[in-house]
Structures are given as structure tokens and as C-alpha cells.
Amino acid sequence: MSLSAHPHNPHLFLSASSDGALHHFDMRTSPGLVGTVADMCGMNDVKHHPVTPELFVYSAEEGQVGLVDGRMAWGETGAERARIASEVAVVRVRPPLSLGRSSSHRA
């Protein structure tokens, strides 16, 4: 599990968890959860961009890395509907299938 505090607003934070969910929280609301982005694999980490906090990056258990624009990810539906990470990621990178190849084999 990972937490990322919003760099400018002390009421907002993101969480990433091994169940494959990124959650957006606003502690001024009840129950606090205002949005969810889900993926098929567990999330290892999430971090806000330090200058443009609407952007955040996540890393996943299978080596994926995604850049998400929170303005598109959370939308107006909030926590009522989880969005799929592949739908909202601005950039999504998956590692090559053959990470275990020796350096003598080049693709």
C-alpha cells in the first residue's frame, strides 16, 4: 500500500493498494472517498506530480507504470463508479514480456 499527499491541499490524498485500486480521498467530505481507478493487478505505488498535482503516476505489481490526469480519472461520478486504469491513463507502459533474457539476445 502507498499513500501520496496532495502537494498543495492538506485535505487530499491518493492511496494505492494490492487489490488493484487507486483511491482519491478528500477529508472534507464524508465518507472521504471521492474516486476510484481500478486495474487488473495490484498497485505498488502512487505519487502526485509535485508541480501539477492533477497528474499522478502509479506503478503496478506486473511492472506497469501509468500517468493519469485526475481531471479525467475522477470525473463527475466520483466514488459511485470505479474507472478502469487503461481508460484514464494518459500514458501506460508495460514491460517487455521477456525480462529474463540474457544480454546477448537483442530484440
Side-chain angles (χ1 to χ4, degrees), residues 9-32:
N9 187 332
H11 302 286
L12 303 177
F13 68 94
L14 299 171
S15 74
S17 63
S18 60
D19 68 357
L22 294 172
H23 296 294
H24 179 223
F25 291 91
D26 184 341
M27 299 315 296
R28 297 169 293 190
T29 66
S30 179

Side-chain angles (χ1 to χ4, degrees), residues 32-105:
L33 178 64
V34 294
T36 300
V37 172
D39 205 338
M40 297 296 289
C41 59
M43 301 292 184
N44 291 331
D45 202 4
V46 62
K47 295 290 182 222
H48 280 96
H49 187 283
V51 178
T52 310
E54 297 84 17
L55 300 177
F56 59 92
V57 295
Y58 69 87
S59 64
E61 289 177 347
E62 296 177 1
Q64 301 94 326
V65 176
L67 171 67
V68 177
D69 184 337
R71 295 167 293 192
M72 294 173 17
W74 314 125
E76 296 179 17
T77 58
E80 299 167 7
R81 178 178 173 264
R83 305 287 302 271
I84 305 301
S86 61
E87 294 175 356
V88 297
V90 176
V91 176
R92 189 166 182 200
V93 178
R94 290 186 172 267
L97 294 176
S98 57
L99 288 175
R101 281 208 254 175
S102 70
S103 59
S104 63
H105 293 93

